[in-house]
């Protein structure tokens, strides 16, 4: 429309007038500074106000483009207070309302610049000045630390306090985003004490209250940072600093071991003490969750004595009082772990360590077999003794419930002569003084089991749990004997044994005689599943010249032989 065209033409004339387009003629003297905000950042946390301290770069030119001044050429930003008369009036006005990283073209008329006097040798009288400005920093002496929590872990048992030693990663930038330092580029955390003067004041304050694993953005005004002097060539004077901080871990030199009982069994008959030998699984992590070691990855428990200095002091303390089967978290400060030097390439210096521990079992070298009677029949008169032959069922497992062996996997019960070194010492002890039909639970420490080396299917130093049921028992004979008389042996033993009276006792006569003595209750054989083998062994022992028969000179009672040996020794 005609009206629309007139409006567009008017707008174009005004714009060209502001930019000083010569094609449309000179619009006349400027009354005020002309501001062109040709770049405005998307995020503007604050705008420069009267009384703010600012830092900025600029190029100053005349209308013909000739440069009269530049902060870039001097290699230093300009810092000052805006709106209080320390700058030319046009610059004071033109800088107000600017955001950090905003860029402006300013046209300053002479009466708002250097007027009819100018600057000798630099700016002629009545000169209009053109400035290209970028705002780099804004702050006020009333500013406080600006802390923004970017992320925070769900669990936080403790936060940073003054005098704590912290390890953190950071990226440091100026307010305009220019980076000046980063711990990540150095490949190591920044480690220091908080609140003791080792850090700039703003960082000392900004780290307080942080949790391990927390991320923060900390904006520090210059008076809480490096102030008027700046720092080297990377931090200009009067620069605000922005730190993106990740707190890796922290501790206090006065800290002890922190324990968290994750899962404690309902039944805990005994707790580990100094001198106990403990088998446990663990995951070891740093406070940021980085795994540095795990027994699970080796598929083997860690086995050690506690309280004797075989492990780091914090773990020595942290395992005191554990129950079998307990899950426990042990948090260990570095002075009770690997100190300032760390260990290997996985545990940094001054690192707090977290161990998630599962105690499999523990014992003491002085422990006996632990016997729990589950069921004992009434009217039990005869109980097992060493040398007795017993039949029993059993289930064997580790204390964490891992099944190892069971007699139920076979066709018949286990059979053994007690005290004959045919089973581990702890099981042998646990089977003594039992009645037929009795059931027991036996806890066998490794020194009475399979020891430090273990056995096929049994880990080294493992405490074993047996569920045993005595099926039957046969009274045994003393060690070294295959047969004993219930009373005195026959006076004319050889004559009675020589059934055909031919002066020699072959195997058949010997076997017939012994079996008759057993049948008549005059004696008993060493209990065994094969009495024929026992009698055959007895015959071989008596047939000293191995000619197939026993002569009167060869037949000797075991008791007589033992007596002869005593005399020989004397």
């Amino acid at each position: 429309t005609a009206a629309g065209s007139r409006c567009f033409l008017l707008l174009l004339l005004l714009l060209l007038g502001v930019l000083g387009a010569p094609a449309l003629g000179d619009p006349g003297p400027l009354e005020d500074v002309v501001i062109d905000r040709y770049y405005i950042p998307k995020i503007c946390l604050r705008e420069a106000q009267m009384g703010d301290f600012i830092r900025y770069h600029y190029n100053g030119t005349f209308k013909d483009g000739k440069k009269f001044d530049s902060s870039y050429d001097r290699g230093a930003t300009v810092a000052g207070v805006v709106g209080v008369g320390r700058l030319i009036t046009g610059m004071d006005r033109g800088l107000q309302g600017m955001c950090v990283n905003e860029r402006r073209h300013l046209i300053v008329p002479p009466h708002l610049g250097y007027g009819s006097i100018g600057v000798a040798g630099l700016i002629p009288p009545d000169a209009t000045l053109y400035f290209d400005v970028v705002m780099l920093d804004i702050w006020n002496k009333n500013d406080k630390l600006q802390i923004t929590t970017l992320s925070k872990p769900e669990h936080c048992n403790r936060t940073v306090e003054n005098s704590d030693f912290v390890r953190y990663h950071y990226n440091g930038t100026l307010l305009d985003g220019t980076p000046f330092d980063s711990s990540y580029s150095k490949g190591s955390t920044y480690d220091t004490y908080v609140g003791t003067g080792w850090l700039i004041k703003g960082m000392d304050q900004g780290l307080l209250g942080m949790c391990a694993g927390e991320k923060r953005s900390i904006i520090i005004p210059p008076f809480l940072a490096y102030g008027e002097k700046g720092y080297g060539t990377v931090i200009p004077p009067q620069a605000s600093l922005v730190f993106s901080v990740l707190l890796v871990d922290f501790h206090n030199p006065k800290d002890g071991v922190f324990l968290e009982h994750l899962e404690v069994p309902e039944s805990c008959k005994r707790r580990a003490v100094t001198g106990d030998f403990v088998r446990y699984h663990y995951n070891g992590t740093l406070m940021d969750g980085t795994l540095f070691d795990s027994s699970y990855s080796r598929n083997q428990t860690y086995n050690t004595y506690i309280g004797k200095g075989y492990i780091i002091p914090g773990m020595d303390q942290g395992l005191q009082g554990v129950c079998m089967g307990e899950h426990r978290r042990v948090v260990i400060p570095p002075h009770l772990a690997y100190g300032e030097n760390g260990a290997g390439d996985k545990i940094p210096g001054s690192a707090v360590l977290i161990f998630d521990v599962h105690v499999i079992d523990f014992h003491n070298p002085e422990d006996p077999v632990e016997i729990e009677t589950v069921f004992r029949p009434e009217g039990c008169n005869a109980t097992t003794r060493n040398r007795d032959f017993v039949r029993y069922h059993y289930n064997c497992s580790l204390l964490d419930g891992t099944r190892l062996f069971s007699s139920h996997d076979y066709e018949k019960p286990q059979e053994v002569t007690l005290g004959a070194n045919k089973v581990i010492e702890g099981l042998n002890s646990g089977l003594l003084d039992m009645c037929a039909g009795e059931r027991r639970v036996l806890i066998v420490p490794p020194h009475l089991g399979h020891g430090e080396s273990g056995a096929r299917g049994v880990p080294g130093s493992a405490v074993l749990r047996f569920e045993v049921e005595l099926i039957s028992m046969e009274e045994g004979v003393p060690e070294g004997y295959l047969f004993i008389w219930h009373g005195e042996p026959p006076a004319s033993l050889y004559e009675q044994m020589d059934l055909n009276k031919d002066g020699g006792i072959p195997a058949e006569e010997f076997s017939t005689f012994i079996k008759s003595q057993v049948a008549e209750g005059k004696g008993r054989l060493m209990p065994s599943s094969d009495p024929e083998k026992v009698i055959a062994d007895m015959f071989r022992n008596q047939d000293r010249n191995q000619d197939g028969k026993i002569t009167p000179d060869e037949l000797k009672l075991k008791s007589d032989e033992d007596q002869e040996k005593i005399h020989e020794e004397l």
Side-chain angles (χ1 to χ4, degrees):
T1 63
S5 299
R6 285 194 298 272
C7 288
F8 175 76
L9 180 62
L10 180 61
L11 181 62
L12 179 62
L13 290 172
L14 288 173
L15 179 61
L16 291 175
V18 169
L19 296 178
L24 298 178
D26 190 345
L30 295 174
E31 295 296 325
D32 202 350
V33 60
V34 176
I35 299 172
D36 173 19
R37 303 179 70 183
Y38 70 90
Y39 175 75
I40 302 174
K42 293 182 178 179
I43 298 175
C44 182
L45 299 178
R46 69 189 292 178
E47 297 178 347
Q49 304 294 327
M50 186 178 296
D52 283 343
F53 288 81
I54 58 173
R55 273 194 323 108
Y56 59 95
H57 262 310
Y58 72 91
N59 282 318
T61 63
F62 298 117
K63 186 175 182 179
D64 61 3
K66 181 180 179 181
K67 187 190 298 183
F68 64 83
D69 192 16
S70 172
S71 62
Y72 296 98
D73 294 344
R74 293 193 297 275
T77 54
V78 179
V81 182
V82 68
V84 294
R86 296 182 184 178
L87 303 171
I88 58 173
T89 304
M91 185 65 83
D92 248 352
R93 293 180 183 178
L95 294 174
Q96 290 189 45
M98 282 191 81
C99 305
V100 172
N101 285 326
E102 182 178 342
R103 294 177 180 270
R104 288 184 178 184
H105 288 303
L106 306 179
I107 303 175
V108 179
H111 68 280
L112 298 179
Y114 293 97
S116 58
I117 299 176
V119 178
L122 183 64
I123 298 176
D126 297 318
T128 298
L129 307 178
Y130 293 76
F131 291 96
D132 189 86
V133 181
V134 56
M135 184 64 67
L136 302 177
D137 201 342
I138 305 169
W139 58 279
N140 193 288
K141 61 182 180 180
N142 295 321
D143 282 349
K144 296 180 180 179
L145 209 63
Q146 297 179 53
I147 298 174
T148 303
T149 299
L150 305 177
S151 67
K152 195 170 185 176
E154 291 183 10
H155 303 287
C156 182
N157 294 324
R158 183 179 156 218
T159 60
V160 174
E161 300 175 359
N162 279 323
S163 80
D164 281 344
F165 189 88
V166 296
R167 295 197 311 115
Y168 62 93
H169 271 303
Y170 68 89
N171 286 317
T173 66
L174 304 180
L175 204 60
D176 67 343
T178 302
F180 62 81
D181 195 13
S182 172
S183 64
Y184 296 98
S185 65
K186 301 181 180 71
S188 63
T189 54
Y190 191 80
D191 308 341
T192 188
Y193 286 94
V194 173
T196 57
W198 292 98
L199 295 164
I200 57 175
K201 291 181 180 179
M203 188 60 86
D204 255 345
Q205 297 174 22
L207 293 171
L208 293 176
M210 285 192 79
C211 302
E214 182 176 343
K215 291 182 180 180
R216 278 185 179 181
S217 172
I218 304 172
I219 302 177
I220 305 175
F223 56 85
L224 295 176
Y226 294 98
E228 297 178 0
K229 295 182 179 180
Y231 187 82
T233 59
V234 293
I235 298 178
Q238 301 291 23
S240 300
L241 306 182
V242 181
F243 287 94
S244 177
V245 174
L246 168 62
L247 185 64
V248 174
D249 76 8
F250 67 96
H251 74 280
N252 195 287
K254 297 178 182 179
D255 284 347
V257 173
F258 175 77
L259 302 179
E260 187 176 350
H261 304 278
L262 304 178
E263 183 181 335
V264 181
E266 292 182 8
S267 175
C268 183
K269 295 180 180 179
R270 169 158 130 38
R271 295 178 178 271
V273 296
T274 293
D276 283 344
F277 191 88
V278 184
R279 294 195 318 122
Y280 59 95
H281 271 302
Y282 70 89
N283 284 321
T285 62
L286 306 179
M287 285 192 80
D288 64 356
T290 301
L291 183 72
F292 64 80
D293 193 16
S294 173
S295 64
Y296 295 100
S297 65
R298 296 186 291 275
N299 196 30
Q300 185 175 354
T301 55
Y302 191 82
N303 310 329
T304 187
Y305 288 95
I306 63 170
K308 290 191 169 186
Y310 292 110
I311 47 181
I312 56 175
M315 190 60 88
D316 252 348
Q317 296 176 26
L319 291 173
Q320 295 284 335
V322 291
C323 300
M324 292 185 189
E326 180 175 345
H327 290 261
R328 176 180 286 193
R329 177 167 292 160
V330 184
V331 182
I332 304 175
H335 55 275
L336 296 175
Y338 294 99
E340 296 180 3
N341 297 323
D345 57 354
K346 292 189 175 181
I347 300 179
S350 300
V352 176
L353 306 183
I354 300 175
F355 289 92
D356 284 319
V357 174
H358 178 205
V359 177
I360 303 301
D361 63 33
F362 59 85
H363 73 281
N364 194 285
E366 304 298 324
D367 283 348
V369 175
E370 183 182 326
I371 300 174
E372 178 188 353
T373 299
V374 178
F375 171 76
R376 189 177 178 98
E378 294 182 3
C380 173
N381 297 320
T383 59
T384 53
R385 296 178 296 175
N386 272 327
R387 311 306 305 171
D388 285 350
F389 182 77
V390 298
R391 292 179 178 85
Y392 63 97
H393 271 304
Y394 72 91
N395 292 313
C396 177
S397 63
L398 302 178
L399 291 191
D400 65 353
T402 301
R403 184 180 183 273
L404 298 180
F405 314 107
S406 175
S407 62
H408 297 282
D409 294 337
Y410 303 94
E411 293 181 358
K412 59 181 182 178
Q414 184 79 10
E415 298 177 342
V416 72
T417 298
L418 297 177
N421 297 320
K422 299 298 183 182
V423 294
I424 57 174
E425 185 178 347
L427 179 55
N428 194 93
S429 299
L431 289 170
L432 294 175
D433 196 33
M434 285 189 78
C435 303
E438 184 173 343
R439 296 195 300 272
R440 287 179 174 179
V441 172
L442 312 177
I443 306 299
V444 180
H447 57 277
L448 299 175
H450 294 284
E452 295 181 9
S453 302
R456 187 175 181 180
V458 180
S461 299
V463 179
L464 302 180
R465 183 180 188 273
F466 286 90
E467 297 173 351
V468 295
E469 179 182 5
L470 187 64
I471 304 301
S472 65
M473 55 179 286
E474 296 178 35
E475 191 175 2
V477 297
E479 185 175 359
Y481 286 72
L482 297 175
F483 173 89
I484 63 169
W485 304 95
H486 290 162
E488 290 295 324
S492 54
L493 177 60
Y494 190 85
E495 287 75 10
Q496 291 190 35
M497 195 176 291
D498 183 8
L499 300 179
N500 61 7
K501 310 303 179 185
D502 63 353
I505 304 171
E508 276 187 37
E509 285 186 345
F510 183 84
S511 176
T512 300
F513 176 78
I514 294 299
K515 288 179 180 178
S516 69
Q517 298 300 298
V518 172
E520 294 171 13
K522 295 178 180 179
R524 66 177 184 272
L525 290 167
M526 181 184 76
S528 171
S529 58
D530 188 1
E532 296 291 346
K533 181 179 183 303
V534 175
I535 294 173
D537 289 342
M538 291 173 64
F539 180 80
R540 277 193 298 272
N541 291 341
Q542 295 297 325
D543 182 14
R544 302 179 192 277
N545 63 6
Q546 303 300 304
D547 64 355
K549 62 181 179 179
I550 302 171
T551 64
D553 293 336
E554 289 178 319
L555 184 64
K556 291 182 181 179
L557 297 176
K558 181 75 168 61
S559 57
D560 294 336
E561 289 180 341
D562 292 343
Q563 193 63 35
E564 288 178 5
K565 288 180 181 178
I566 292 174
H567 289 303
E568 287 173 3
E569 292 171 0
L570 291 175

